[in-house]
C-alpha cells in the first residue's frame, strides 16, 4: 500500500508526456515511410526502424511546438501540459532535443548515410517550423516539406526519385491540414476550407489512380474514396460553417485520416497487404483521439 502514491505519480507523469507529444497522432507517421519504401521497391527489414526514427522526429516536433507556443497556450489552451504546470518548459525542451537526436541516430543506424541525408534536413525542417516558421506565410509549405521528406526517408535505400509522386501527394494533404489548423482556435472563413477541400479532391484522384491492373487499382481507389469521405466530408461542413469547432474537427480528421491516404499510395505501388495494414491505423487513431487530442 505504501508504494501506491509513487506509482500513481509515475502514471500521471507518463500521461502528461503522452499529452505533450500527442502520442496517438504518431499513428499517422509510419505510413509515410511505408509508402516511400513501397514506391521505391525497398519495403523490407529496415523499414520498421526507419518508421521508428520518423516517429521520434514527429514526437520531437510536437514537444518543441508546445515549448515554443507556451506563451500563446497560456492564453488560448491553458489546459495544455506546459501552461497547466504538468510539464515544465525545460523538460519539454529536453524531450524535444532528445527525441530529435534519437530519431536521427536511429535513421543512420538503419539506413546509413543515405537515410541520414534525409533525416538530418527533416529534423531541421521540424525545428524550423516550430521555432518560427509556423507563424509565417511559409508555414504550411514548411510542414508539407516535413511530411514529404518523411516519405522519402522510407525510400532512402532505393531509388528515391520513384517515391517523389507519393511524397508530393502526402505533402499536399499536409498543406491542407496545416492551413486549416491556423483557424482552429478563432475560426476561419469559407475560402480556406473550400480551397483545402479542392486540394483534397485532387489528392484523392492522385492516390486512387493506378496503372497496375484491376486488383491494385481497385484497392487504391477504394482506400482513396474512404480518405475522401472521411476528410472531405468534414471539410465540406467547415466550408459551410467555418466556426472554430468545425475547423478543429477538420484538422483532426486530416490527421487521423492520413493512414488511409498512405494505404492508397501503398496499394498503388502494388502491396495490398501493406496497404491494408497501414490503413488500419486510421480507425485506431480516431478512437485514441477521443482521449488525447491530436491537434
Amino acid at each position: 500500500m505504501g508504494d501506491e502514491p509513487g506509482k500513481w505519480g509515475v502514471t500521471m507523469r507518463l500521461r502528461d508526456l503522452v499529452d505533450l507529444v500527442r502520442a496517438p497522432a504518431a499513428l499517422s507517421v509510419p505510413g509515410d515511410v511505408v509508402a516511400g519504401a513501397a514506391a521505391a521497391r525497398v519495403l523490407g527489414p529496415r523499414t520498421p526502424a526507419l518508421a521508428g526514427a520518423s516517429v521520434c522526429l514527429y514526437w520531437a516536433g510536437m514537444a518543441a511546438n508546445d515549448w515554443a507556443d507556451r506563451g500563446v497556450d497560456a492564453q488560448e489552451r491553458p489546459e495544455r501540459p506546459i501552461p497547466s504546470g504538468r510539464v515544465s518548459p525545460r523538460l519539454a525542451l529536453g524531450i524535444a532535443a532528445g527525441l530529435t537526436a534519437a530519431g536521427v541516430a536511429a535513421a543512420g543506424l538503419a539506413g546509413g548515410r543515405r537515410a541520414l541525408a534525409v533525416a538530418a534536413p527533416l529534423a531541421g525542417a521540424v525545428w524550423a517550423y516550430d521555432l518560427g516558421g509556423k507563424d509565417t506565410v511559409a508555414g504550411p509549405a514548411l510542414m508539407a516539406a516535413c511530411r514529404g521528406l518523411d516519405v522519402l526517408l522510407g525510400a532512402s535505400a532505393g531509388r528515391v526519385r520513384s517515391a517523389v509522386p507519393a511524397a508530393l501527394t502526402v505533402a499536399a494533404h499536409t498543406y491542407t491540414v496545416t492551413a486549416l489548423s491556423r483557424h482552429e482556435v478563432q475560426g476561419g472563413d469559407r475560402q480556406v476550407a473550400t480551397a483545402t477541400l479542392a486540394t483534397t479532391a485532387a489528392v484523392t484522384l492522385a492516390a486512387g489512380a493506378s496503372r497496375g491492373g484491376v486488383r491494385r487499382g481497385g484497392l487504391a481507389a477504394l482506400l482513396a474514396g474512404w480518405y475522401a469521405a472521411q476528410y472531405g466530408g468534414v471539410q465540406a461542413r467547415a466550408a459551410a460553417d467555418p466556426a472554430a469547432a468545425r475547423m478543429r474537427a477538420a484538422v483532426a480528421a486530416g490527421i487521423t485520416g492520413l493512414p488511409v491516404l498512405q494505404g492508397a499510395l501503398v496499394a498503388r505501388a502494388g502491396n495490398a497487404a501493406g496497404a491494408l495494414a497501414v490503413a488500419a491505423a486510421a480507425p485506431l487513431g480516431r478512437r485514441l483521439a477521443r482521449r488525447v487530442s491530436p491537434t
Side-chain angles (χ1 to χ4, degrees):
M1 294 294 291
D3 292 334
E4 288 181 3
K7 291 180 179 179
W8 178 253
V10 171
T11 301
M12 291 301 291
R13 174 54 62 86
L14 289 176
R15 289 179 180 175
D16 296 338
L17 296 181
V18 165
D19 195 11
L20 175 72
V21 300
R22 298 170 175 86
L27 286 171
S28 71
V29 177
D32 287 341
V33 172
V34 175
R41 302 292 191 271
V42 290
L43 189 59
R46 67 180 64 188
T47 303
L50 291 175
S54 177
V55 168
C56 286
L57 293 175
Y58 182 86
W59 280 341
M62 289 297 186
N65 179 74
D66 267 29
W67 178 82
D69 282 356
R70 62 193 184 279
V72 175
D73 285 345
Q75 300 297 322
E76 298 180 348
R77 296 184 176 186
E79 75 282 357
R80 291 295 303 156
I82 295 178
S84 67
R86 292 181 288 130
V87 175
S88 70
R90 187 174 184 177
L91 177 58
L93 184 60
I95 290 170
L99 285 170
T100 299
V104 173
L109 289 173
R113 292 182 179 179
R114 297 189 66 178
L116 277 176
V118 181
L122 171 56
V126 168
W127 280 87
Y129 176 84
D130 286 333
L131 298 183
K134 63 176 173 287
D135 295 323
T136 69
V137 175
L142 189 55
M143 181 54 68
C146 290
R147 281 289 191 167
L149 286 169
D150 208 25
V151 175
L152 297 183
L153 179 62
S156 58
R159 293 185 59 199
V160 174
R161 185 178 301 178
S162 301
V164 169
L168 291 175
T169 302
V170 171
H173 164 84
T174 304
Y175 190 101
T176 68
V177 177
T178 310
L180 289 167
S181 71
R182 294 185 162 198
H183 305 278
E184 61 181 342
V185 175
Q186 302 296 333
D189 56 56
R190 290 181 174 84
Q191 290 183 343
V192 173
T194 300
T196 61
L197 180 59
T199 303
T200 296
V203 167
T204 300
L205 292 175
S210 176
R211 299 178 181 177
V214 175
R215 174 181 292 184
R216 184 188 304 182
L219 181 56
L222 179 64
L223 291 174
W226 179 10
Y227 158 78
Q230 178 178 333
Y231 185 35
V234 182
Q235 285 176 279
R237 289 191 287 275
D241 177 13
R246 290 197 173 186
M247 298 297 267
R248 283 195 298 272
V251 173
I255 294 172
T256 59
L258 179 54
V260 183
L261 173 63
Q262 296 160 339
L265 295 171
V266 175
R268 191 177 68 175
N271 191 317
L276 293 174
V278 168
L284 178 58
R286 285 198 301 274
R287 291 186 62 183
L288 292 176
R290 297 169 188 165
R291 298 189 177 187
V292 179
S293 173
T295 69

